[in-house]
Amino acid sequence: MTIGVVTGTSSSSPYNFFVRLHQENNRPIHMVQIDDVVKVIFSYKPYGEIIYYGIVTEINARWDFGLVSGYEEEIALKGLLPAFPIYIATVTTTRMLRVEKGKVTSDAPQVPPPPGTEVLIAEGEEIDIALGFDDLIKQNMAVPIGTFRNGRPAYVDVRYILGENGAHINISGQSGVASKTSYATFLVRSFLDTGKKLREKNELMGYLSRSRFIIFNVKGEGLLFLDKWSKDWKNLEKEEQGKHWKKMYESMGIEPKPFEKVLFYAPRRSKKNMAPWSNKRYDNIFSYGWDCIDIFKMGLFELMFDPQELEINQNLQLAVTTVQEFLYERLEKAVEEAAKFCHKNSCFPSTTDDEIILRTAIANGFDIVAQGKLPEGIDDLIKMFSEDSDKEFSDKMMQELKGKSTIMAMIRRLKSIKNIGMDLIWIPTSFLSAKVGTTEEHKINWDHPGQVTVIDISKLRPRVQSFVVGAVLVEVMRSREEKTDQDPVFIFLDELNKYAPRHGGGPLGNLFRDIAERGRSFRVIMIGAEQTASEVDYRIITQSSTTVVGRQKGAELEKPEYAHLTVEQKERAALLQQGEMIVDQPFMRIPITVSFPLPAWCTREDGYYTLSEEKIKQIEGKLYG
């Protein structure tokens, strides 16, 4: 369908051109909308036939005959002055093609379309061609990320998801309005379903289907019910809106249903036992923590301290580093003692792994404090500082720290981190499973193909939250650095600006920067979300190959982090509704606006669907009479 012509009243270029819409009775014959896709076909010697596709980014209406005042307009409306309304659409070019000997090639010259050239509306499969989706679909590398206004699915390139060409996803937008968490879980569902559907046709899709997904629950208990149906979905399922959402899922090849393969973890409720701290979730939820073996083997000790203070206070940084190095050496000696213990008690494991040797000895009665000389918890470490029972430790601290004031400062910090609840996640080794080779009670069992692991940190104090996040990141990176060609791990974290702020960030900030810059080499992919991208570490933000913007404040949109959006898209971003996102990926010539359906799974702690008593009785009647 022809909608107008390339107008010469405005200057066109190869990248932007302007369309004057055809009219009838002073109204457009076909009024285009923002995000409509159009096509122009023209020719220049010596290039032959050229095809340009583009997206409508702005539409303007004005009088075209020199009316300059309201008085003149009023007279014109009464028919006493000539006046003609004109409608101009601004188009951003998305793809340039050339026809050579009947074949379409992508080596089109970059020239402006001539004024007067007819402009057609693109429909159906031409939209995929216009946006470069056709090549992705042919190569089985297209991952659905939502739908356009016309109902057709929009895609991203899996190579920019899994690190072949780039990695990491960043989502920003206003809290409670931008639907950042809902969209992140929708992407997880899309990754899993698309990967399973196309894994036999493309190796990268096989990786995607086997991905591990680690999701941090930072607010309430909403993400602890991803395996439950959404109450809102069930209530609207048979309504027109619900049917529309189902149609969106169907067009993208995604099944609207709760997550099946999912495990939930929460910190322990108290120091006395390992019962998970959950107020509404009671089944399929486990507690987590790290014991002294984990903490000193993986170098997690410094994550317990205030990162800003560590950067400012060099004496404290020295003290923390000295303790970590000393207790790591102790850990190595403890392994030697544990090996002797196992040999003496005939409980030696078949493996030579140091950690398994030590844990085997502990399970058979080896005392980590008395024989291994390691602290079981924060209280034990405070005693090592404040008492002379461990002369080797005391001498080392006095020698390295050169003064009692630093030692006293260290004791105060240890008491402080205990008071904020760090001892809830520093657990004693006595809670280890007696079976060697199986997962210990406190371990987060995340490394399984296609599994979603939700880790609740919402009830912990900020510094303890940071420790948990850092400990998981360290464990994931270590697991992937030790082996090559591993399956991908996606890590979703909201409020990223808290953990990787623009300035500072300490050891945890360094971890995030490391993952941002090296993670894709090991297929460790971050899905970060925050209200304001301008408050997140610049090196982390700029490493995200897929950038998503939900509804955002106008003042924030003026920051350099949103320079990839056009002026019109920034205006639109300030008005986006829930379920709308602007997505940008390197293969796209322009960011695209997509809609995504309501999640069929629960993302709010009070939003999961339960059967009414009447329905339960009906089911029981059918089953048991």
Side-chain angles (χ1 to χ4, degrees):
M1 177 196 296
T2 303
I3 60 168
V5 295
V6 177
T7 179
T9 60
S10 301
S11 298
S12 294
S13 75
Y15 315 110
N16 294 280
F17 57 92
F18 300 87
V19 180
R20 179 173 56 80
L21 302 182
H22 286 328
Q23 293 176 218
E24 191 175 87
N25 299 324
N26 291 337
R27 291 289 184 274
I29 294 172
H30 179 92
M31 173 54 86
V32 294
Q33 295 188 70
I34 301 294
D35 293 336
D36 276 351
V37 179
V38 299
K39 174 174 76 170
V40 292
I41 303 174
F42 57 96
S43 62
Y44 282 121
K45 291 182 179 180
Y47 307 111
E49 190 174 72
I50 301 167
I51 304 172
Y52 276 13
Y53 288 99
I55 288 182
V56 176
T57 56
E58 189 177 10
I59 307 167
N60 293 299
R62 61 180 172 82
W63 293 111
D64 186 50
F65 200 66
L67 298 181
V68 295
S69 69
Y71 172 73
E72 290 179 332
E73 181 178 53
E74 192 64 32
I75 293 176
L77 289 173
K78 292 177 181 179
L80 301 175
L81 268 178
F84 181 70
I86 185 171
Y87 298 83
I88 304 292
T90 304
V91 177
T92 299
T93 307
T94 58
R95 199 166 188 192
M96 304 170 179
L97 303 172
R98 183 166 70 95
V99 180
E100 184 179 16
K101 296 179 181 178
K103 290 185 178 180
V104 178
T105 63
S106 58
D107 62 340
Q110 299 186 21
V111 292
T117 305
E118 285 195 337
V119 180
L120 300 91
I121 193 81
E123 298 177 305
E125 292 182 0
E126 272 200 310
I127 293 174
D128 293 337
I129 296 171
L131 299 170
F133 297 158
D134 57 329
D135 289 340
L136 294 181
I137 293 169
K138 286 176 189 173
Q139 297 174 63
N140 295 300
M141 290 193 293
V143 180
I145 54 165
T147 62
F148 293 112
R149 186 184 282 112
N150 59 17
R152 288 193 68 83
Y155 302 95
V156 291
D157 188 337
V158 71
R159 289 170 294 188
Y160 287 100
I161 298 294
L162 291 181
E164 296 299 302
N165 293 346
H168 311 306
I169 301 168
N170 187 262
I171 308 170
S172 61
Q174 286 179 253
S175 180
V177 179
S179 306
K180 300 186 296 292
T181 301
S182 295
Y183 190 59
T185 58
F186 166 76
L187 290 179
V188 172
R189 179 87 264 174
S190 176
F191 291 171
L192 284 169
D193 285 10
T194 307
K196 288 175 186 175
K197 185 170 63 175
L198 300 176
R199 61 188 170 191
E200 301 299 327
K201 299 177 180 179
N202 188 289
E203 183 184 14
L204 292 178
M205 288 300 183
Y207 279 115
L208 198 61
S209 70
R210 300 190 301 271
S211 295
R212 287 80 160 132
F213 297 89
I214 297 174
I215 297 175
F216 288 99
N217 180 66
V218 300
K219 289 177 283 193
E221 292 189 358
L223 297 180
L224 296 183
F225 298 95
L226 291 180
D227 60 341
K228 309 290 184 186
W229 286 98
S230 163
K231 183 165 57 178
D232 295 336
W233 173 271
K234 282 291 185 182
N235 291 340
L236 295 169
E237 192 174 13
K238 296 180 180 178
E239 304 293 330
E240 281 303 313
Q241 183 64 70
K243 291 176 182 176
H244 173 66
W245 285 327
K246 280 187 175 180
K247 194 174 179 181
M248 291 174 72
Y249 277 111
E250 186 179 342
S251 72
M252 293 182 283
I254 300 171
E255 195 170 354
K257 63 179 181 179
F259 291 90
E260 305 95 347
K261 195 173 181 180
V262 55
L263 287 179
F264 302 94
Y265 287 88
R268 55 181 181 159
R269 190 178 292 272
S270 72
K271 295 187 295 181
K272 296 180 180 178
N273 58 58
M274 288 294 286
W277 190 357
S278 172
N279 297 328
K280 294 189 176 181
R281 176 105 206 179
Y282 304 110
D283 63 316
N284 194 32
I285 185 164
F286 309 93
S287 58
Y288 63 81
W290 290 265
D291 58 27
C292 63
I293 300 172
D294 302 315
I295 290 168
F296 298 111
K297 180 184 177 184
M298 294 194 291
L300 306 179
F301 185 60
E302 65 177 354
L303 292 173
M304 295 184 174
F305 297 85
D306 183 349
Q308 291 183 336
E309 189 178 15
L310 284 178
E311 288 186 352
I312 297 169
N313 191 336
Q314 292 184 349
N315 287 336
L316 180 62
Q317 177 68 68
L318 174 63
V320 171
T321 304
T322 302
V323 172
Q324 166 65 44
E325 290 175 351
F326 180 85
L327 291 178
Y328 181 77
E329 292 174 4
R330 274 275 175 93
L331 182 63
E332 292 179 326
K333 292 177 182 176
V335 172
E336 295 175 6
E337 294 299 318
K340 295 175 185 176
F341 178 91
C342 288
H343 184 75
K344 183 178 179 181
N345 292 274
S346 302
C347 59
F348 206 81
S350 57
T351 178
T352 57
D353 184 275
D354 288 351
E355 184 175 348
I356 293 180
I357 292 171
L358 187 52
R359 294 192 184 281
T360 303
I362 292 169
N364 286 273
F366 183 78
D367 192 323
I368 194 72
V369 177
Q371 294 169 276
K373 295 184 179 181
L374 288 167
E376 274 276 61
I378 298 174
D379 285 332
D380 287 342
L381 187 53
I382 291 172
K383 285 179 183 176
M384 289 173 68
F385 268 103
S386 55
E387 296 178 5
D388 292 332
S389 55
D390 192 327
K391 195 169 185 312
E392 184 186 9
F393 180 80
S394 300
D395 290 346
K396 181 69 174 178
M397 293 303 109
M398 286 299 293
Q399 178 187 344
E400 294 289 335
L401 305 184
K402 303 186 186 308
K404 243 184 173 180
S405 60
T406 305
I407 293 174
M408 295 305 296
M410 191 67 178
I411 293 172
R412 289 195 299 272
R413 300 305 186 282
L414 289 171
K415 288 180 178 179
S416 172
I417 64 174
K418 178 189 172 185
N419 291 336
I420 62 173
M422 194 70 74
D423 52 353
L424 289 177
I425 50 92
W426 184 341
I427 62 171
T429 54
S430 56
F431 283 102
L432 292 170
S433 170
K435 266 192 175 183
V436 180
T438 60
T439 303
E440 291 83 7
E441 287 183 23
H442 68 285
K443 294 280 188 182
I444 297 173
N445 194 15
W446 57 268
D447 201 0
H448 293 280
Q451 178 177 297
V452 177
T453 305
V454 181
I455 303 172
D456 181 33
I457 58 174
S458 61
K459 303 173 190 69
L460 300 173
R461 301 282 284 276
R463 205 187 305 166
V464 189
Q465 290 181 343
S466 296
F467 177 88
V468 174
V469 171
V472 171
L473 294 182
V474 169
E475 186 176 340
V476 169
M477 283 296 282
R478 282 188 171 226
S479 74
R480 291 308 184 250
E481 287 172 340
E482 290 169 1
K483 301 175 185 176
T484 57
D485 198 32
Q486 289 272 56
D487 291 330
V489 185
F490 288 85
I491 302 169
F492 171 62
L493 178 64
D494 197 0
E495 300 180 358
L496 183 60
N497 53 293
K498 282 174 53 178
Y499 307 96
R502 176 54 56 99
H503 303 291
L508 184 57
N510 292 334
L511 270 174
F512 276 105
R513 284 186 282 272
D514 186 42
I515 290 176
E517 294 169 352
R518 293 196 309 128
R520 78 183 188 96
S521 303
F522 307 107
R523 298 199 193 280
V524 178
I525 316 298
M526 279 295 306
I527 306 178
E530 68 286 324
Q531 292 184 42
T532 51
S534 62
E535 294 183 4
V536 179
D537 188 288
Y538 189 73
R539 285 163 61 186
I540 294 169
I541 285 289
T542 52
Q543 289 292 335
S544 296
S545 63
T546 306
T547 305
V548 182
V549 179
R551 182 161 179 162
Q552 188 57 274
K553 294 281 188 182
E556 172 67 10
L557 289 165
E558 293 304 314
K559 304 288 178 65
E561 287 70 22
Y562 304 90
H564 59 99
L565 302 180
T566 65
V567 174
E568 295 80 16
Q569 285 174 329
K570 289 179 183 179
E571 292 174 357
R572 188 171 183 183
L575 300 172
L576 289 173
Q577 300 301 305
Q578 282 191 323
E580 293 182 328
M581 295 288 181
I582 298 176
V583 183
D584 186 23
Q585 206 181 51
F587 87 93
M588 301 174 181
R589 292 191 74 113
I590 184 173
I592 57 175
T593 303
V594 301
S595 298
F596 69 98
L598 181 78
W601 48 92
C602 178
T603 57
R604 293 185 294 112
E605 59 185 287
D606 60 345
Y608 61 93
Y609 176 75
T610 54
L611 294 172
S612 64
E613 289 187 19
E614 182 181 351
K615 191 72 176 174
I616 292 171
K617 285 180 180 178
Q618 288 177 1
I619 294 171
E620 286 177 345
K622 287 180 182 178
L623 289 173
Y624 309 112

